[in-house]
Amino acid sequence: MTTVRSLIFTLWLYLSMPLFAIGLSPALLMPHGVAIAVIKLWARFVLFGLRWIAGVKVEVRGLEHRPTGPALIAAKHQGMLDVIAPFAFLDDACFVMKKELMPLPFFGWFAWKTKMIAVDRAAHAKALKDMVRQTRARLAEGRQILIFPEGTRTTPGEPADYKPGVAAIYRDVDAPCWPVATNSGVHWPAHGFKRYPGTVVFEFLPPIPAGLKRAAFMAELESRIETASTALLPPKT
């Protein structure tokens, strides 16, 4: 049954992209708020199908810690859902993403329109400077910057490898950083098409105050995210 439901949901997901891209493409010519509203609508459409077709519910915890207005958010990354769900519960999400994703139909079009922060990871030091520059600009527009400190998806329970990009942004903007934990990979794994029924949790944690030294910030960020994410995993049998 899980296989059948997963297949139906996969069709729901991938058919939704061209449907929204074509049907709502006029939004690409409209103001920023309209384009973001289209992405939010698409995200809710995907989450609706995820719950009622695949049996996967999305729950957001720690709402008392959720930032409003401009903010730097650092989140655990376990799968594709982490890139979709935040649009449903953040006011104006702006992702730090791989530049290679920009040409993709629908996703890339709206990412360009809504000024997502595209990073050429092969450019190394230049990419880091460009990411910080773009982040400052987006924060000035009141956006919520969402970065995945690990840089790529990790399997639930695997050791983490946090990259220095988030520390560069944190130091440059001199502002708090809001960690987010999740167990999304348990129910929407990074690989394969199966979606496993249950509850995906995205949990906002108390913000890390501005001004910490790089090493202290990275240690605190990793400790908070990994501890909270591990606590969301099912008990080992």
Side-chain angles (χ1 to χ4, degrees):
M1 189 54 136
T2 296
T3 299
V4 173
R5 295 175 75 180
S6 296
L7 281 170
I8 295 172
F9 172 71
T10 299
L11 288 172
W12 175 278
L13 171 66
Y14 287 105
L15 286 175
S16 74
M17 294 182 184
L19 286 174
F20 274 74
I22 296 169
L24 297 176
S25 58
L28 294 169
L29 303 175
M30 297 181 185
H32 169 81
V34 178
I36 280 290
V38 169
I39 299 176
K40 285 176 169 288
L41 181 63
W42 173 70
R44 293 186 179 112
F45 183 83
V46 172
L47 296 186
F48 177 85
L50 184 65
R51 178 168 186 176
W52 298 109
I53 298 172
V56 180
K57 178 184 176 183
V58 172
E59 177 182 334
V60 183
R61 296 180 186 171
L63 290 174
E64 67 274 18
H65 303 304
R66 180 179 56 176
T68 57
L72 173 62
I73 300 170
K76 184 71 178 171
H77 190 24
Q78 296 180 346
M80 185 177 178
L81 183 60
D82 308 335
V83 185
I84 299 173
F87 287 109
F89 54 75
L90 288 175
D91 295 333
D92 195 352
C94 178
F95 280 87
V96 177
M97 55 183 283
K98 295 186 295 184
K99 190 175 182 179
E100 296 90 330
L101 297 176
M102 294 300 281
L104 293 178
F106 176 64
F107 188 88
W109 301 346
F110 280 89
W112 168 81
K113 172 63 181 179
T114 56
K115 299 180 182 178
M116 298 298 165
I117 299 171
V119 177
D120 181 3
R121 295 193 294 187
H124 303 296
K126 181 178 180 296
L128 190 60
K129 290 179 181 178
D130 187 49
M131 178 176 66
V132 170
R133 178 188 60 79
Q134 290 186 67
T135 298
R136 285 199 303 266
R138 300 292 84 77
L139 286 172
E141 295 168 356
R143 308 286 297 278
Q144 284 119 27
I145 310 301
L146 200 155
I147 184 171
F148 299 122
E150 296 158 287
T152 190
R153 301 169 296 183
T154 56
T155 302
E158 280 192 354
D161 180 18
Y162 282 54
K163 304 296 191 295
V166 64
I169 295 174
Y170 168 80
R171 179 189 62 213
D172 185 83
V173 302
D174 192 26
C177 177
W178 280 262
V180 176
T182 191
N183 63 344
S184 63
V186 173
H187 304 285
W188 186 326
H191 305 289
F193 71 91
K194 283 193 176 182
R195 311 290 178 253
Y196 298 94
T199 301
V200 168
V201 175
F202 290 95
E203 183 176 3
F204 285 92
L205 306 174
I208 298 173
L212 296 184
K213 298 293 185 181
R214 173 174 169 171
F217 167 70
M218 290 299 291
E220 183 68 13
L221 181 69
E222 181 172 345
S223 174
R224 290 196 191 188
I225 292 178
E226 294 304 310
T227 299
S229 295
T230 299
L232 295 174
L233 298 180
K236 294 182 178 179
T237 56

